[in-house]
Amino acid sequence: MASDMEATTSILEQASHWWELLHSDSASNADHREFGEWVARSPERVEAYLQTARLAKAIKSPRLIWPSTAAEVLIREAKASPETVLPFSTTRVSASVGRGEGRHIHRRVAWGAAAVLLIGVGLALFLLERPREFRTALGEQRSVLLADGSRATLNTASTIEVILQKGRRDVRLVRGEALFEVAHDAARPFVVRAGNALLKDVGTQFNVDIRSNGTTVTVVEGQVAVDSAATGEIAAAQAGHGVGETVEGLILGANDRVVVTPAGVGAPLRGVNVAASVAWTQRRLIFEHRPLNEVAEEFNRYNKVRIDIDSAELERQEVTGVFDAKDPASFVAFLSSVPGVEIREGAKGTHIVLLRSPTGHPDTRGAR
């Protein structure tokens, strides 16, 4: 913390600043070192930081193992010492030290222990509350067994962030698509944030897919409460609860699907083909009357070699079929067999799909 800030703010305000900084995603190793220097200057700073921690209820985590000597005892002993705080020394104390000086040294050691303890606790809390990230590259899929027994299967080019706490389980789908199989735990809601969608579940299976035009939620089994992120966060703030406690929007059951956009939660579709929605876990793509441009984009999600539809008329053509996600060549061969369609090779192996005009030349007049 800058010296001018220390001169104009109270120790408690400085402690609050450090608490907020160390629990943010932007905290760096340099911030932790600077915090260590700040807190080691006086016992009052230790007490202020601990008070901030108690107010935030962050140091009550059952995963933290405290030493047998309470931090408050170390703080009281340290405050009772009128000596100026000195840095630790590796020099051995002489055996001829008098009793009075020995008590001062004991107090300094007690204060030093309190400072070290607090630095360790602050770092431990920082690490415990940081989300754990799982991701996949282009064309990669990955199944992750979480500590609570739930499983998250990530599709190509996807990222999730996970925080599992005593009273709740928070997951953020940062990008891509994931299938969640949630272990039942009524006392710990499983909350997923994905784009503008906010989902709450206690034990079920559902698929979440983020696209540029919205987030699609499909329930395979069980029930899921779906709300828009803005609505859920506003309700949480008004009620004074965590966001997951206030997700009370649309209830989806098995074989239900809904799309959540910035405008809110759309109308649900009942009785959808969930097998098609999760076929990607078997690296299969199932299409039922899907426009050709959407089919091409699906293949592009899994492969470096792109398929570009260079005809507005072709883009609107519907496709029904089952394909291998990692075999775009077979799909291109299928397209080349369609009368009037021509395939050209572009840069980096891109397959450009064109519609020939009656004159025999490619017609790109309606292309993008």
Side-chain angles (χ1 to χ4, degrees), residues 1 5 11-27 31-32 34-36 38-39 45-61 64 66 117-130 165:
M1 184 180 294
M5 181 178 293
I11 291 180
L12 186 58
E13 289 175 318
Q14 296 171 36
S16 298
H17 164 83
W18 281 115
W19 177 265
E20 182 179 1
L21 176 60
L22 296 182
H23 287 76
S24 70
D25 293 335
S26 61
D31 292 326
H32 285 283
E34 191 173 351
F35 166 72
W38 174 83
V39 78
R45 296 185 179 189
V46 176
E47 184 177 31
Y49 192 83
L50 283 176
Q51 182 179 352
T52 303
R54 282 193 293 267
L55 291 174
K57 297 181 180 180
I59 60 174
K60 293 184 179 180
S61 171
L64 287 178
W66 290 84
L117 170 66
L118 184 57
I119 295 171
V121 169
L123 180 59
L125 286 170
F126 172 75
L127 294 176
L128 283 173
E129 294 188 4
R130 283 185 64 86
Q165 299 175 327

Short mmCIF file of all heavy atoms in Angstrom, two decimals, residues 1 5 11-27 31-32 34-36 38-39 45-61 64 66 117-130 165:
data_model
loop_
_atom_site.label_atom_id
_atom_site.label_comp_id
_atom_site.label_asym_id
_atom_site.label_seq_id
_atom_site.Cartn_x
_atom_site.Cartn_y
_atom_site.Cartn_z
N MET A 1 0.85 -1.19 0.00
CA MET A 1 0.00 0.00 0.00
C MET A 1 0.88 1.23 0.00
O MET A 1 1.87 1.30 0.70
CB MET A 1 -0.90 -0.01 1.25
CG MET A 1 -1.88 1.14 1.29
SD MET A 1 -2.90 1.07 2.77
CE MET A 1 -3.83 -0.42 2.47
N MET A 5 -1.47 6.70 1.17
CA MET A 5 -2.74 6.11 1.61
C MET A 5 -2.69 5.79 3.09
O MET A 5 -3.66 5.99 3.81
CB MET A 5 -3.04 4.84 0.80
CG MET A 5 -4.36 4.18 1.17
SD MET A 5 -4.72 2.71 0.18
CE MET A 5 -4.94 3.49 -1.43
N ILE A 11 -6.14 2.40 10.19
CA ILE A 11 -5.62 1.04 10.04
C ILE A 11 -6.72 0.08 9.64
O ILE A 11 -6.51 -0.82 8.83
CB ILE A 11 -4.96 0.58 11.37
CG1 ILE A 11 -3.67 1.38 11.60
CG2 ILE A 11 -4.66 -0.92 11.34
CD1 ILE A 11 -2.94 1.01 12.87
N LEU A 12 -7.93 0.29 10.18
CA LEU A 12 -9.04 -0.59 9.83
C LEU A 12 -9.40 -0.46 8.35
O LEU A 12 -9.70 -1.45 7.67
CB LEU A 12 -10.26 -0.28 10.69
CG LEU A 12 -11.46 -1.23 10.54
CD1 LEU A 12 -11.03 -2.66 10.85
CD2 LEU A 12 -12.60 -0.80 11.44
N GLU A 13 -9.35 0.77 7.84
CA GLU A 13 -9.62 0.98 6.41
C GLU A 13 -8.53 0.32 5.55
O GLU A 13 -8.83 -0.26 4.51
CB GLU A 13 -9.69 2.48 6.11
CG GLU A 13 -10.95 3.15 6.66
CD GLU A 13 -10.92 4.65 6.46
OE1 GLU A 13 -9.85 5.26 6.66
OE2 GLU A 13 -11.95 5.21 6.07
N GLN A 14 -7.28 0.43 6.01
CA GLN A 14 -6.20 -0.23 5.29
C GLN A 14 -6.38 -1.74 5.29
O GLN A 14 -6.17 -2.42 4.27
CB GLN A 14 -4.86 0.14 5.91
CG GLN A 14 -4.52 1.62 5.81
CD GLN A 14 -3.28 1.99 6.62
OE1 GLN A 14 -2.34 1.21 6.70
NE2 GLN A 14 -3.29 3.17 7.21
N ALA A 15 -6.80 -2.29 6.44
CA ALA A 15 -7.03 -3.73 6.53
C ALA A 15 -8.14 -4.16 5.58
O ALA A 15 -8.06 -5.20 4.93
CB ALA A 15 -7.38 -4.12 7.97
N SER A 16 -9.19 -3.35 5.51
CA SER A 16 -10.30 -3.66 4.59
C SER A 16 -9.82 -3.65 3.14
O SER A 16 -10.24 -4.47 2.33
CB SER A 16 -11.44 -2.65 4.78
OG SER A 16 -11.95 -2.71 6.09
N HIS A 17 -8.95 -2.68 2.85
CA HIS A 17 -8.38 -2.62 1.50
C HIS A 17 -7.63 -3.90 1.18
O HIS A 17 -7.79 -4.48 0.09
CB HIS A 17 -7.44 -1.42 1.39
CG HIS A 17 -6.52 -1.49 0.20
ND1 HIS A 17 -6.92 -1.09 -1.05
CD2 HIS A 17 -5.23 -1.93 0.08
CE1 HIS A 17 -5.91 -1.29 -1.91
NE2 HIS A 17 -4.88 -1.78 -1.25
N TRP A 18 -6.79 -4.35 2.14
CA TRP A 18 -6.01 -5.57 1.89
C TRP A 18 -6.91 -6.78 1.76
O TRP A 18 -6.65 -7.66 0.95
CB TRP A 18 -4.99 -5.78 3.01
CG TRP A 18 -3.78 -4.91 2.85
CD1 TRP A 18 -3.36 -3.91 3.67
CD2 TRP A 18 -2.84 -4.96 1.77
NE1 TRP A 18 -2.21 -3.32 3.18
CE2 TRP A 18 -1.87 -3.96 2.01
CE3 TRP A 18 -2.72 -5.75 0.64
CZ2 TRP A 18 -0.80 -3.74 1.16
CZ3 TRP A 18 -1.65 -5.53 -0.22
CH2 TRP A 18 -0.71 -4.53 0.05
N TRP A 19 -7.94 -6.85 2.58
CA TRP A 19 -8.86 -7.99 2.51
C TRP A 19 -9.51 -8.07 1.12
O TRP A 19 -9.57 -9.13 0.52
CB TRP A 19 -9.93 -7.87 3.59
CG TRP A 19 -10.94 -8.98 3.52
CD1 TRP A 19 -12.13 -8.98 2.89
CD2 TRP A 19 -10.80 -10.29 4.07
NE1 TRP A 19 -12.76 -10.18 3.00
CE2 TRP A 19 -11.96 -11.01 3.73
CE3 TRP A 19 -9.81 -10.92 4.81
CZ2 TRP A 19 -12.16 -12.34 4.11
CZ3 TRP A 19 -10.01 -12.24 5.20
CH2 TRP A 19 -11.17 -12.93 4.85
N GLU A 20 -9.97 -6.92 0.66
CA GLU A 20 -10.63 -6.89 -0.65
C GLU A 20 -9.65 -7.24 -1.77
O GLU A 20 -9.99 -8.00 -2.69
CB GLU A 20 -11.23 -5.51 -0.89
CG GLU A 20 -11.98 -5.39 -2.23
CD GLU A 20 -12.59 -4.02 -2.43
OE1 GLU A 20 -12.41 -3.16 -1.55
OE2 GLU A 20 -13.23 -3.82 -3.47
N LEU A 21 -8.43 -6.72 -1.69
CA LEU A 21 -7.45 -6.97 -2.73
C LEU A 21 -7.03 -8.43 -2.77
O LEU A 21 -6.99 -9.06 -3.83
CB LEU A 21 -6.21 -6.08 -2.50
CG LEU A 21 -5.04 -6.31 -3.48
CD1 LEU A 21 -5.48 -6.04 -4.91
CD2 LEU A 21 -3.86 -5.44 -3.10
N LEU A 22 -6.74 -9.02 -1.60
CA LEU A 22 -6.26 -10.39 -1.56
C LEU A 22 -7.33 -11.41 -1.92
O LEU A 22 -7.02 -12.57 -2.21
CB LEU A 22 -5.69 -10.71 -0.17
CG LEU A 22 -4.46 -9.90 0.24
CD1 LEU A 22 -3.97 -10.35 1.60
CD2 LEU A 22 -3.36 -10.03 -0.80
N HIS A 23 -8.60 -11.00 -1.89
CA HIS A 23 -9.69 -11.90 -2.26
C HIS A 23 -10.24 -11.59 -3.65
O HIS A 23 -11.31 -12.06 -4.02
CB HIS A 23 -10.82 -11.84 -1.23
CG HIS A 23 -10.45 -12.51 0.06
ND1 HIS A 23 -9.60 -11.93 0.97
CD2 HIS A 23 -10.79 -13.73 0.57
CE1 HIS A 23 -9.45 -12.75 2.00
NE2 HIS A 23 -10.16 -13.84 1.78
N SER A 24 -9.49 -10.82 -4.42
CA SER A 24 -9.90 -10.51 -5.79
C SER A 24 -9.06 -11.34 -6.76
O SER A 24 -8.02 -11.89 -6.39
CB SER A 24 -9.71 -9.03 -6.09
OG SER A 24 -8.33 -8.71 -6.16
N ASP A 25 -9.52 -11.44 -8.00
CA ASP A 25 -8.79 -12.19 -9.01
C ASP A 25 -7.52 -11.48 -9.45
O ASP A 25 -6.67 -12.09 -10.12
CB ASP A 25 -9.68 -12.44 -10.23
CG ASP A 25 -10.83 -13.37 -9.91
OD1 ASP A 25 -10.68 -14.17 -8.97
OD2 ASP A 25 -11.86 -13.30 -10.60
N SER A 26 -7.38 -10.20 -9.11
CA SER A 26 -6.25 -9.42 -9.59
C SER A 26 -5.05 -9.44 -8.64
O SER A 26 -4.01 -8.88 -8.95
CB SER A 26 -6.68 -7.96 -9.81
OG SER A 26 -7.14 -7.39 -8.60
N ALA A 27 -5.18 -10.09 -7.46
CA ALA A 27 -4.09 -10.11 -6.50
C ALA A 27 -2.89 -10.87 -7.07
O ALA A 27 -3.02 -11.96 -7.60
CB ALA A 27 -4.55 -10.76 -5.20
N ASP A 31 1.56 -8.31 -4.50
CA ASP A 31 0.58 -7.84 -3.52
C ASP A 31 0.71 -8.60 -2.21
O ASP A 31 0.61 -8.03 -1.12
CB ASP A 31 -0.84 -7.99 -4.07
CG ASP A 31 -1.11 -7.06 -5.24
OD1 ASP A 31 -0.57 -5.94 -5.23
OD2 ASP A 31 -1.86 -7.45 -6.14
N HIS A 32 0.91 -9.92 -2.29
CA HIS A 32 1.06 -10.72 -1.08
C HIS A 32 2.33 -10.35 -0.32
O HIS A 32 2.31 -10.29 0.92
CB HIS A 32 1.07 -12.21 -1.45
CG HIS A 32 -0.28 -12.75 -1.79
ND1 HIS A 32 -1.23 -13.05 -0.84
CD2 HIS A 32 -0.86 -13.03 -2.99
CE1 HIS A 32 -2.33 -13.51 -1.42
NE2 HIS A 32 -2.13 -13.49 -2.73
N GLU A 34 3.76 -7.38 -0.38
CA GLU A 34 3.52 -6.05 0.19
C GLU A 34 2.61 -6.14 1.41
O GLU A 34 2.79 -5.42 2.40
CB GLU A 34 2.92 -5.13 -0.87
CG GLU A 34 2.89 -3.66 -0.44
CD GLU A 34 2.44 -2.75 -1.57
OE1 GLU A 34 2.32 -3.22 -2.71
OE2 GLU A 34 2.19 -1.56 -1.28
N PHE A 35 1.61 -7.04 1.34
CA PHE A 35 0.74 -7.25 2.50
C PHE A 35 1.56 -7.75 3.69
O PHE A 35 1.36 -7.31 4.83
CB PHE A 35 -0.36 -8.25 2.16
CG PHE A 35 -1.08 -8.78 3.37
CD1 PHE A 35 -1.95 -7.97 4.08
CD2 PHE A 35 -0.88 -10.08 3.80
CE1 PHE A 35 -2.62 -8.45 5.20
CE2 PHE A 35 -1.54 -10.56 4.91
CZ PHE A 35 -2.41 -9.74 5.62
N GLY A 36 2.48 -8.68 3.43
CA GLY A 36 3.32 -9.18 4.51
C GLY A 36 4.14 -8.09 5.17
O GLY A 36 4.29 -8.05 6.40
N TRP A 38 3.28 -4.90 5.19
CA TRP A 38 2.35 -3.99 5.88
C TRP A 38 1.93 -4.55 7.23
O TRP A 38 1.97 -3.86 8.25
CB TRP A 38 1.11 -3.77 5.01
CG TRP A 38 0.03 -2.98 5.68
CD1 TRP A 38 -0.06 -1.62 5.77
CD2 TRP A 38 -1.11 -3.51 6.37
NE1 TRP A 38 -1.19 -1.27 6.47
CE2 TRP A 38 -1.86 -2.41 6.85
CE3 TRP A 38 -1.58 -4.79 6.62
CZ2 TRP A 38 -3.04 -2.56 7.58
CZ3 TRP A 38 -2.75 -4.95 7.34
CH2 TRP A 38 -3.47 -3.85 7.81
N VAL A 39 1.54 -5.82 7.28
CA VAL A 39 1.00 -6.38 8.51
C VAL A 39 2.07 -6.62 9.57
O VAL A 39 1.77 -6.68 10.77
CB VAL A 39 0.26 -7.71 8.20
CG1 VAL A 39 1.23 -8.85 7.99
CG2 VAL A 39 -0.75 -8.05 9.30
N ARG A 45 -2.24 -3.74 13.32
CA ARG A 45 -2.61 -4.12 11.95
C ARG A 45 -3.08 -5.58 11.90
O ARG A 45 -3.99 -5.91 11.14
CB ARG A 45 -1.42 -3.90 11.01
CG ARG A 45 -1.05 -2.43 10.93
CD ARG A 45 0.04 -2.16 9.92
NE ARG A 45 0.34 -0.73 9.87
CZ ARG A 45 1.11 -0.15 8.96
NH1 ARG A 45 1.66 -0.89 8.01
NH2 ARG A 45 1.32 1.14 9.00
N VAL A 46 -2.44 -6.42 12.69
CA VAL A 46 -2.91 -7.81 12.79
C VAL A 46 -4.35 -7.84 13.29
O VAL A 46 -5.22 -8.52 12.73
CB VAL A 46 -2.00 -8.63 13.72
CG1 VAL A 46 -2.55 -10.04 13.89
CG2 VAL A 46 -0.58 -8.68 13.17
N GLU A 47 -4.61 -7.10 14.36
CA GLU A 47 -5.95 -7.09 14.94
C GLU A 47 -6.98 -6.53 13.95
O GLU A 47 -8.09 -7.06 13.83
CB GLU A 47 -5.95 -6.25 16.22
CG GLU A 47 -7.29 -6.29 16.96
CD GLU A 47 -7.25 -5.50 18.26
OE1 GLU A 47 -6.49 -4.51 18.33
OE2 GLU A 47 -7.95 -5.89 19.19
N ALA A 48 -6.61 -5.46 13.23
CA ALA A 48 -7.54 -4.86 12.27
C ALA A 48 -7.87 -5.83 11.15
O ALA A 48 -9.02 -5.95 10.72
CB ALA A 48 -6.94 -3.57 11.71
N TYR A 49 -6.84 -6.55 10.69
CA TYR A 49 -7.10 -7.50 9.59
C TYR A 49 -7.96 -8.66 10.06
O TYR A 49 -8.87 -9.11 9.36
CB TYR A 49 -5.78 -8.01 9.04
CG TYR A 49 -5.95 -8.76 7.73
CD1 TYR A 49 -6.02 -8.08 6.52
CD2 TYR A 49 -6.04 -10.15 7.70
CE1 TYR A 49 -6.20 -8.75 5.31
CE2 TYR A 49 -6.22 -10.83 6.51
CZ TYR A 49 -6.29 -10.13 5.32
OH TYR A 49 -6.47 -10.80 4.13
N LEU A 50 -7.70 -9.14 11.29
CA LEU A 50 -8.52 -10.23 11.84
C LEU A 50 -9.96 -9.78 12.05
O LEU A 50 -10.91 -10.54 11.82
CB LEU A 50 -7.93 -10.72 13.16
CG LEU A 50 -6.71 -11.64 13.04
CD1 LEU A 50 -6.16 -11.97 14.41
CD2 LEU A 50 -7.07 -12.92 12.30
N GLN A 51 -10.14 -8.54 12.47
CA GLN A 51 -11.50 -8.02 12.66
C GLN A 51 -12.23 -7.97 11.32
O GLN A 51 -13.40 -8.34 11.22
CB GLN A 51 -11.44 -6.63 13.29
CG GLN A 51 -12.82 -6.03 13.55
CD GLN A 51 -12.74 -4.65 14.19
OE1 GLN A 51 -11.66 -4.20 14.58
NE2 GLN A 51 -13.86 -3.98 14.31
N THR A 52 -11.53 -7.53 10.29
CA THR A 52 -12.13 -7.52 8.95
C THR A 52 -12.50 -8.92 8.51
O THR A 52 -13.57 -9.15 7.94
CB THR A 52 -11.16 -6.89 7.94
OG1 THR A 52 -10.81 -5.57 8.36
CG2 THR A 52 -11.78 -6.82 6.55
N ALA A 53 -11.63 -9.87 8.80
CA ALA A 53 -11.89 -11.26 8.42
C ALA A 53 -13.10 -11.81 9.15
O ALA A 53 -13.92 -12.53 8.57
CB ALA A 53 -10.66 -12.12 8.72
N ARG A 54 -13.24 -11.47 10.42
CA ARG A 54 -14.40 -11.95 11.20
C ARG A 54 -15.68 -11.36 10.65
O ARG A 54 -16.69 -12.06 10.54
CB ARG A 54 -14.21 -11.62 12.67
CG ARG A 54 -13.26 -12.55 13.41
CD ARG A 54 -13.36 -12.38 14.92
NE ARG A 54 -12.88 -11.06 15.33
CZ ARG A 54 -11.62 -10.83 15.71
NH1 ARG A 54 -10.74 -11.81 15.72
NH2 ARG A 54 -11.24 -9.63 16.06
N LEU A 55 -15.64 -10.09 10.31
CA LEU A 55 -16.83 -9.46 9.74
C LEU A 55 -17.24 -10.13 8.44
O LEU A 55 -18.41 -10.27 8.12
CB LEU A 55 -16.58 -7.96 9.52
CG LEU A 55 -16.46 -7.10 10.77
CD1 LEU A 55 -16.06 -5.68 10.40
CD2 LEU A 55 -17.77 -7.08 11.55
N ALA A 56 -16.27 -10.54 7.66
CA ALA A 56 -16.55 -11.20 6.38
C ALA A 56 -16.87 -12.68 6.54
O ALA A 56 -17.21 -13.35 5.58
CB ALA A 56 -15.38 -11.02 5.43
N LYS A 57 -16.72 -13.16 7.75
CA LYS A 57 -16.99 -14.58 8.07
C LYS A 57 -16.16 -15.53 7.22
O LYS A 57 -16.58 -16.64 6.90
CB LYS A 57 -18.48 -14.90 7.88
CG LYS A 57 -19.41 -14.14 8.79
CD LYS A 57 -20.85 -14.56 8.54
CE LYS A 57 -21.79 -13.78 9.45
NZ LYS A 57 -23.21 -14.16 9.24
N ALA A 58 -14.99 -15.04 6.86
CA ALA A 58 -14.17 -15.85 5.97
C ALA A 58 -13.24 -16.80 6.73
O ALA A 58 -12.85 -17.83 6.19
CB ALA A 58 -13.34 -14.96 5.07
N ILE A 59 -12.88 -16.48 7.98
CA ILE A 59 -11.93 -17.32 8.68
C ILE A 59 -12.62 -18.42 9.46
O ILE A 59 -12.01 -19.07 10.28
CB ILE A 59 -11.06 -16.47 9.64
CG1 ILE A 59 -11.91 -15.75 10.68
CG2 ILE A 59 -10.21 -15.52 8.87
CD1 ILE A 59 -11.08 -15.02 11.71
N LYS A 60 -13.93 -18.65 9.20
CA LYS A 60 -14.66 -19.74 9.85
C LYS A 60 -14.69 -20.99 9.01
O LYS A 60 -15.42 -21.93 9.31
CB LYS A 60 -16.08 -19.29 10.18
CG LYS A 60 -16.15 -18.21 11.24
CD LYS A 60 -17.58 -17.87 11.59
CE LYS A 60 -17.64 -16.80 12.68
NZ LYS A 60 -19.04 -16.47 13.04
N SER A 61 -13.92 -21.02 7.92
CA SER A 61 -13.92 -22.17 7.03
C SER A 61 -13.48 -23.41 7.79
O SER A 61 -12.44 -23.40 8.46
CB SER A 61 -12.99 -21.93 5.84
OG SER A 61 -12.85 -23.12 5.10
N LEU A 64 -9.78 -24.85 7.39
CA LEU A 64 -8.59 -24.23 7.97
C LEU A 64 -8.28 -24.87 9.31
O LEU A 64 -9.16 -25.02 10.16
CB LEU A 64 -8.82 -22.72 8.18
CG LEU A 64 -8.83 -21.88 6.90
CD1 LEU A 64 -9.11 -20.43 7.26
CD2 LEU A 64 -7.52 -21.98 6.18
N TRP A 66 -6.31 -24.39 12.65
CA TRP A 66 -5.65 -23.36 13.43
C TRP A 66 -4.67 -24.00 14.42
O TRP A 66 -4.88 -25.12 14.86
CB TRP A 66 -6.66 -22.53 14.20
CG TRP A 66 -7.49 -21.65 13.32
CD1 TRP A 66 -8.61 -22.00 12.64
CD2 TRP A 66 -7.24 -20.29 13.01
NE1 TRP A 66 -9.08 -20.95 11.92
CE2 TRP A 66 -8.27 -19.88 12.13
CE3 TRP A 66 -6.26 -19.38 13.38
CZ2 TRP A 66 -8.33 -18.59 11.64
CZ3 TRP A 66 -6.32 -18.09 12.88
CH2 TRP A 66 -7.34 -17.72 12.02
N LEU A 117 1.34 -16.10 11.45
CA LEU A 117 0.09 -16.84 11.41
C LEU A 117 -0.92 -16.14 10.50
O LEU A 117 -1.57 -16.76 9.65
CB LEU A 117 -0.49 -16.97 12.82
CG LEU A 117 -1.93 -17.51 12.92
CD1 LEU A 117 -1.99 -18.95 12.45
CD2 LEU A 117 -2.45 -17.38 14.34
N LEU A 118 -1.05 -14.84 10.65
CA LEU A 118 -2.03 -14.10 9.87
C LEU A 118 -1.68 -14.09 8.39
O LEU A 118 -2.55 -14.25 7.54
CB LEU A 118 -2.12 -12.66 10.38
CG LEU A 118 -3.19 -11.81 9.70
CD1 LEU A 118 -4.56 -12.46 9.84
CD2 LEU A 118 -3.20 -10.41 10.27
N ILE A 119 -0.41 -13.93 8.08
CA ILE A 119 -0.01 -13.96 6.68
C ILE A 119 -0.36 -15.32 6.07
O ILE A 119 -0.87 -15.41 4.97
CB ILE A 119 1.51 -13.68 6.54
CG1 ILE A 119 1.82 -12.25 6.99
CG2 ILE A 119 1.97 -13.92 5.11
CD1 ILE A 119 3.29 -11.96 7.09
N GLY A 120 -0.09 -16.39 6.84
CA GLY A 120 -0.42 -17.72 6.35
C GLY A 120 -1.90 -17.93 6.16
O GLY A 120 -2.35 -18.50 5.16
N VAL A 121 -2.70 -17.43 7.13
CA VAL A 121 -4.15 -17.55 7.03
C VAL A 121 -4.67 -16.76 5.83
O VAL A 121 -5.51 -17.23 5.06
CB VAL A 121 -4.84 -17.06 8.32
CG1 VAL A 121 -6.34 -16.94 8.12
CG2 VAL A 121 -4.54 -18.03 9.45
N GLY A 122 -4.16 -15.54 5.65
CA GLY A 122 -4.60 -14.73 4.51
C GLY A 122 -4.29 -15.42 3.19
O GLY A 122 -5.13 -15.46 2.30
N LEU A 123 -3.09 -16.00 3.08
CA LEU A 123 -2.73 -16.70 1.86
C LEU A 123 -3.58 -17.94 1.67
O LEU A 123 -4.03 -18.25 0.56
CB LEU A 123 -1.24 -17.06 1.90
CG LEU A 123 -0.69 -17.80 0.66
CD1 LEU A 123 -0.91 -16.95 -0.58
CD2 LEU A 123 0.77 -18.13 0.85
N ALA A 124 -3.82 -18.68 2.78
CA ALA A 124 -4.64 -19.90 2.68
C ALA A 124 -6.06 -19.58 2.24
O ALA A 124 -6.63 -20.26 1.39
CB ALA A 124 -4.66 -20.62 4.04
N LEU A 125 -6.63 -18.53 2.82
CA LEU A 125 -7.99 -18.14 2.43
C LEU A 125 -8.03 -17.71 0.98
O LEU A 125 -8.96 -18.02 0.24
CB LEU A 125 -8.49 -17.00 3.32
CG LEU A 125 -8.88 -17.39 4.75
CD1 LEU A 125 -9.10 -16.14 5.57
CD2 LEU A 125 -10.11 -18.26 4.75
N PHE A 126 -6.99 -16.98 0.57
CA PHE A 126 -6.93 -16.53 -0.81
C PHE A 126 -6.93 -17.72 -1.78
O PHE A 126 -7.65 -17.74 -2.76
CB PHE A 126 -5.67 -15.69 -1.00
CG PHE A 126 -5.38 -15.32 -2.42
CD1 PHE A 126 -6.12 -14.33 -3.05
CD2 PHE A 126 -4.36 -15.95 -3.11
CE1 PHE A 126 -5.86 -13.99 -4.37
CE2 PHE A 126 -4.09 -15.61 -4.42
CZ PHE A 126 -4.83 -14.63 -5.04
N LEU A 127 -6.13 -18.74 -1.42
CA LEU A 127 -6.04 -19.91 -2.29
C LEU A 127 -7.32 -20.74 -2.23
O LEU A 127 -7.76 -21.29 -3.23
CB LEU A 127 -4.83 -20.76 -1.88
CG LEU A 127 -3.47 -20.11 -2.11
CD1 LEU A 127 -2.36 -21.01 -1.57
CD2 LEU A 127 -3.25 -19.82 -3.60
N LEU A 128 -7.92 -20.86 -1.02
CA LEU A 128 -9.13 -21.66 -0.88
C LEU A 128 -10.31 -21.08 -1.65
O LEU A 128 -11.14 -21.82 -2.17
CB LEU A 128 -9.51 -21.78 0.61
CG LEU A 128 -8.67 -22.76 1.44
CD1 LEU A 128 -9.06 -22.64 2.90
CD2 LEU A 128 -8.83 -24.19 0.97
N GLU A 129 -10.39 -19.76 -1.71
CA GLU A 129 -11.55 -19.14 -2.32
C GLU A 129 -11.36 -18.85 -3.81
O GLU A 129 -12.28 -18.43 -4.47
CB GLU A 129 -11.91 -17.86 -1.57
CG GLU A 129 -12.36 -18.14 -0.14
CD GLU A 129 -12.89 -16.90 0.55
OE1 GLU A 129 -12.98 -15.85 -0.11
OE2 GLU A 129 -13.22 -16.99 1.73
N ARG A 130 -10.18 -19.08 -4.33
CA ARG A 130 -9.97 -18.90 -5.77
C ARG A 130 -10.62 -20.08 -6.49
O ARG A 130 -10.48 -21.23 -6.07
CB ARG A 130 -8.48 -18.83 -6.10
CG ARG A 130 -7.85 -17.51 -5.76
CD ARG A 130 -6.42 -17.49 -6.22
NE ARG A 130 -6.29 -17.59 -7.67
CZ ARG A 130 -6.33 -16.56 -8.50
NH1 ARG A 130 -6.53 -15.35 -8.01
NH2 ARG A 130 -6.19 -16.73 -9.79
N GLN A 165 -17.96 -24.97 -1.55
CA GLN A 165 -17.93 -24.47 -0.18
C GLN A 165 -18.85 -25.31 0.70
O GLN A 165 -19.57 -26.19 0.21
CB GLN A 165 -18.35 -23.00 -0.16
CG GLN A 165 -17.42 -22.10 -0.97
CD GLN A 165 -17.92 -20.66 -1.03
OE1 GLN A 165 -19.11 -20.41 -1.04
NE2 GLN A 165 -17.00 -19.72 -1.10
#
